[in-house]
Amino acid sequence: MTEEKRTTGSIIAETELYGAHNYHPKRVVISSAEGAVVTDPEGRRYYDMLSAYSALNFGHRHPEIVAAAKEQLDRVTLTSRAFHNELLGKFCKKLCELTGKECVLPMNTGAEAVETALKAARRWGVMEKGIADGEQEIICCDGNFHGRTVTVISMSTDETARKAFGPFTPGFRVVEYGKAAAIADAVTANTAAVILEPVQGEAGIIVPPEGYLKEVREICTRNNVLMIADEVQTGFARTGDMFACMHEGVTPDIYVLGKALGGGIMPVSAVVADRDVLGLFEPGSHGSTFGGNPLACAVALKAMEILVRDDYPATARRKGEKFVAALREIRNPEIVDIRGRGLLVGVEFSVPAAPYVERLIENGILAKETHERTVRFAPPVNISDAELDDALQRIKRALTR
Ligand SMILES: *Cc1c(COP(=O)(O)O)cnc(C)c1O
C-alpha cells in the first residue's frame, strides 16, 4: 500500500472536513518546530511571532523542559487528586515564591483558572465580606478576554463570542477599561471583586494609562474588594516583568495564570492567592481530574526554574525595546499605532490587517491579526538575537509600503 503524500493542502482539507470550524487558521501547517522556528510539510521555515498566544514563551520544545517531561513520563503522569503526588507541593511552593503569595490551586486551562478565581471571589464575598449568597457582584472591563466557558463569556463584550450562547451567568458589571473612576463608580456593597487584564491581549494589545493598575489597587483596598489579575497571557515575563502588574508595583489579591506555565508542552493553569481567599475551598467544593498532575507539575517546575535562572523578564524588556524601535523605522502611512509592553507588541493599521499578515507569512513570519486592524507580535522570549534581527528585517520588508 502506498502512503498518500501529505501536503499543506490535503492536511487542511482533512481538518476542515472533520473538524468544527470554530477557528479560521491561516493556511500554514506546522509539522515540526524548534525554538522560534517552525517548519511546514513542504519544508518552508517560518519564525513563530505568535508563540501560541504567549504559551510558547520558552519557544518550541525547549530541551530542558522536554527532558523534564520525558523523565516524568517514565515515572508517573497522573494520580488524580484522590491521592498525593511527589511534585504538587514543590510546584505550589515555587509558584508561591514567584508571586509572593501563600497558596496555589492548580487547574489546566486558562478559562478554568478564571472560573476558579470567580468562585473564590464569590465565596470570599459571602464568607469574609458578608454579602448574601447570590448577591455577589464582580466588576469586569469592556474588551476583556478571559476564556470561553459560559460564565466567562458572560463577562465578554464581544458579540461573536456570545451570539446564541445565552442564557448568561448573572452577577457581572462591565465598565470601561483603562478608566479607574469607572470601577470606583461601579462598586457597591455587594462587590466581591474586580477582574482585569493588566494589558488586554485579545482586545488588540491595549496598554492601560500609566497609574491605572495602581488606582484600581487602591480602589479595591479602600472598598474591601478583591483585585483579580488575569495574567494568563501577560504573566511569566511576556511584558518585561515576571507579572505585568509589577510594572506599576501592584500586587493583586488573586493571580490567574496559565499559558506559559505549561512550558509550551501541555495546559497548566493556576490560581494563586493568600490563605484568606483560597482557604475558603473545603474538600469537595471544587476540583479537576487533571489539575496538579505530576507531568504538568514537572513541566511547570522546569519552566519556572528557567524563567528565573535565565532572567526572562529582563530579556523580554530588552528585546521588546529593540522590536519596537525596529517597527518605528518602517515607512508606511497605513500604520497608525505601534504599542506594547515588553515582547507583547501590537501594530495597528488604518485598514484591515489580514493582507499584511499574508505578506508577513510570504516573508517567513507567522503572526495573526487581532480585532481586524492590529497585528500582534509575541515571539518566544528566548529567540536568539540573530534570529530576532533576521525576523525584524523580514517584518520591515513585509510591512513597508
Ligand atoms: C488565553 C487566555 C485565557 C484563556 O485561556 P485558555 O487556556 O485558552 O482557556 C484567559 N485569559 C487570558 C487573558 C488569555 O489570554
Side-chain angles (χ1 to χ4, degrees):
M1 217 171 81
T2 57
E3 182 82 353
E4 85 174 286
K5 179 97 178 79
R6 304 269 289 163
T7 63
T8 289
S10 72
I11 292 164
I12 291 175
E14 179 183 67
T15 310
E16 307 242 291
L17 186 58
Y18 293 105
H21 295 180
N22 57 323
Y23 279 92
H24 184 54
K26 298 296 167 191
R27 295 188 62 82
V28 174
V29 175
I30 299 175
S31 328
S32 61
E34 185 174 3
V37 176
V38 308
T39 307
D40 80 0
E42 287 76 25
R44 286 179 288 247
R45 288 156 58 84
Y46 303 89
Y47 288 113
D48 185 348
M49 291 284 139
L50 179 62
S51 303
Y53 306 94
S54 297
L56 288 161
N57 284 1
F58 305 88
H60 293 266
R61 299 190 303 111
H62 189 292
E64 287 173 86
I65 303 175
V66 168
K70 283 183 173 167
E71 200 180 310
Q72 194 59 39
L73 278 171
D74 286 332
R75 285 176 72 87
V76 59
T77 55
L78 186 60
T79 55
S80 85
R81 296 294 302 278
F83 309 101
H84 288 276
N85 73 62
E86 289 182 16
L87 293 182
L88 179 56
K90 269 191 176 169
F91 163 79
C92 294
K93 181 173 179 223
K94 184 92 189 166
L95 200 41
C96 284
E97 285 166 7
L98 269 191
T99 54
K101 295 289 183 193
E102 294 171 355
C103 190
V104 171
L105 197 160
M107 298 295 283
N108 310 285
T109 67
E112 285 176 324
V114 171
E115 289 266 356
T116 304
L118 298 174
K119 284 169 103 174
R122 284 179 166 194
R123 274 230 159 158
W124 178 90
V126 172
M127 295 178 171
E128 294 288 313
K129 188 165 173 173
I131 304 168
D133 193 4
E135 299 298 317
Q136 307 97 310
E137 288 169 5
I138 291 172
I139 297 169
C140 55
C141 295
D142 62 0
N144 73 73
F145 182 83
H146 297 296
R148 299 296 196 170
T149 63
V150 171
T151 290
V152 170
I153 62 167
S154 300
M155 296 188 280
S156 179
T157 54
D158 175 355
E159 265 320 300
T160 312
R162 290 168 60 96
K163 190 176 78 189
F165 289 143
F168 296 106
T169 306
F172 297 110
R173 281 178 155 233
V174 185
V175 301
E176 190 181 334
Y177 184 68
K179 238 174 105 180
I183 290 177
D185 289 345
V187 170
T188 73
N190 288 335
T191 306
V194 172
I195 182 168
L196 53 77
E197 299 153 86
V199 174
Q200 288 188 329
E202 296 317 295
I205 322 297
I206 308 299
V207 181
E210 199 68 38
Y212 174 66
L213 299 173
K214 223 180 195 137
E215 272 189 76
V216 173
R217 173 69 273 181
E218 283 163 14
I219 292 163
C220 288
T221 304
R222 203 182 321 127
N223 292 284
N224 192 26
V225 164
L226 297 177
M227 180 179 180
I228 306 174
D230 180 350
E231 296 238 20
V232 170
Q233 187 162 159
T234 54
F236 301 113
R238 172 53 60 189
T239 64
D241 289 285
M242 189 57 81
F243 301 104
C245 282
M246 290 173 173
H247 178 77
E248 292 190 20
V250 162
T251 308
D253 298 293
I254 302 180
Y255 284 102
V256 185
L257 302 172
K259 291 200 168 109
L261 185 56
I265 295 199
M266 60 191 296
V268 185
S269 70
V271 173
V272 191
D274 282 340
R275 282 273 164 210
D276 61 340
V277 175
L278 286 179
L280 301 174
F281 287 108
E282 76 279 13
S285 62
H286 189 56
S288 160
T289 304
F290 285 87
N293 72 75
L295 182 57
C297 290
V299 162
L301 270 165
K302 184 54 76 177
M304 288 189 278
E305 179 193 322
I306 294 166
L307 264 174
V308 174
R309 184 196 66 198
D310 296 349
D311 202 350
Y312 270 47
T315 307
R317 214 174 307 138
R318 176 175 66 78
K319 290 177 185 167
E321 279 165 20
K322 183 176 186 170
F323 209 108
V324 168
L327 290 174
R328 292 203 193 285
E329 290 169 8
I330 297 174
R331 293 288 151 250
N332 183 340
E334 288 182 344
I335 294 178
V336 294
D337 195 22
I338 295 165
R339 56 176 175 262
R341 186 162 289 160
L343 267 181
L344 186 57
V345 178
V347 178
E348 187 175 339
F349 295 85
S350 58
V351 295
Y356 281 108
V357 170
E358 290 307 319
R359 291 183 54 169
L360 286 164
I361 292 172
E362 285 161 21
N363 281 277
I365 298 291
L366 293 191
K368 200 166 193 295
E369 68 274 18
T370 152
H371 278 248
E372 200 183 356
R373 290 180 178 203
T374 301
V375 177
R376 164 182 16 210
F377 292 105
V381 174
N382 63 347
I383 186 172
S384 75
D385 283 295
E387 287 171 327
L388 183 58
D389 290 340
D390 185 27
L392 288 171
Q393 287 309 316
R394 291 162 182 270
I395 291 168
K396 280 185 185 173
R397 212 179 306 142
L399 300 189
T400 297
R401 271 203 56 165

